Amino acid sequence: METYTRDGIAERLGTRVVGRHVRWHDTLASTNELAMQLAEIQVPEGTVVVAEEQTAGRGRRGRAWVSPRGGVWLSVILRPRLPLAQLPLVGLAAAVAVVRAIRAITRLAARVKWPNDVLLDGAKVAGILTEAGPEGAWIVVGVGINANVAPAELPQDPRQPAASLADRAGAPVDRGELARAFLRELDGAYAILEDTAGPARVLRSWRETADTLGRTVRVEGPGQVLDGVAVDVDDLGALLVRTADGVLERVVAGEVTLRGLA
Ligand code: BT5
């Protein structure tokens, strides 16, 4: 039975915050765009916006996110009681939640590329876009997972190959199961994040699922290109890269290309 429906998600979740309200749309420009408007008009925390298809799906820094039917495209509205500087941890927690959901439902060994891309054997299967309101009053966590998207519908960029779960698993993925697994994982991580020891625990789980650490990387932009070894993330989620001259650089934003094992 197809449970990737509003009721199929809303009625079976059993979460604390995430997914308390679910808004279902056939077509939207972008679930993040609508979720940000809803966040501004004070809809309850945990509201999830889902679309079967996005006509103007957004990636980071103005890039487009290809979102045909068959994927899981959703946004979660949160109001974290966290200092502004710690908001990036919400994105890292969401990436871990996506990886765990994919592993649980498909058994595929997904991993995270810093900060929050989800890869399978180097191909991008999911992406996360977090967008925050003034003073961090709210944050919208937008997640796109290429669940049952035909490979031919995905972007063909040799620098960053894309893949879908169905293609890699050899069978269609149950999107209801996948979305519920993700929302439950995010709900758990979100509860953890707000306790005192939470950020450290979230970072520990991020490190366990990361593909980036210990690798030779190139980090591009804004305004710089850096080559080095990704040694760790700091307590705010910034990537620490040791360059050839031994300097430890702290990266808060940029595109990482994985080169090889250090
Ligand atoms: C991301 O951006 O990875 C964040 C994507 C977030 C999408 C979700 S869907 C629900 C919610 N509503 C939205 O409007 N957005 C969020 P970035 O790292 O900038 O990656 C974008 C780049 O990935 C593009 O420039 C393409 O090269 C590539 N790309 C685009 N669509 C893709 C897809 N479906 N699968 C894999 N790669 C894709």
Side-chain angles (χ1 to χ4, degrees), residues 192 195 197-206:
I192 290 170
D195 18 281
R201 282 178 66 190
V202 165
L203 286 163
R204 201 176 319 133
S205 57
W206 186 90

Side-chain angles (χ1 to χ4, degrees), residues 177-260:
E177 294 284 352
L178 181 67
R180 284 191 294 278
F182 163 71
L183 295 169
R184 288 185 189 123
E185 287 284 352
L186 184 65
D187 191 64
Y190 189 56
I192 290 170
L193 203 51
E194 289 188 339
D195 18 281
T196 351
R201 282 178 66 190
V202 165
L203 286 163
R204 201 176 319 133
S205 57
W206 186 90
R207 287 185 186 100
E208 283 165 14
T209 50
D211 212 9
T212 313
L213 302 181
R215 305 279 292 263
T216 304
V217 295
R218 165 165 290 183
V219 189
E220 289 177 66
Q224 63 165 1
V225 177
L226 204 69
D227 287 305
V229 176
V231 289
D232 202 359
V233 279
D234 72 7
D235 54 7
L236 298 175
L239 187 66
L240 301 175
V241 177
R242 190 174 305 284
T243 60
D245 48 14
V247 177
L248 199 58
E249 299 273 1
R250 181 171 186 273
V251 180
V252 293
E255 302 313 312
V256 172
T257 321
L258 301 175
R259 293 287 156 106

Side-chain angles (χ1 to χ4, degrees), residues 10-67:
E11 286 169 13
R12 293 159 180 249
L13 264 183
T15 47
R16 187 186 64 110
V17 173
V18 173
R20 281 190 300 195
H21 300 273
V22 178
R23 298 182 58 127
W24 204 271
H25 295 264
D26 187 60
T27 304
L28 276 181
S30 153
T31 57
N32 264 39
E33 181 187 84
L34 177 59
M36 289 169 75
Q37 290 163 359
L38 294 172
E40 277 293 319
I41 60 161
Q42 309 299 328
V43 297
E45 181 177 45
T47 298
V48 176
V49 178
V50 185
E52 287 282 5
E53 165 189 57
Q54 298 182 117
T55 53
R58 315 212 276 235
R60 292 174 299 154
R61 292 200 220 120
R63 290 187 289 250
W65 182 257
V66 174
S67 326

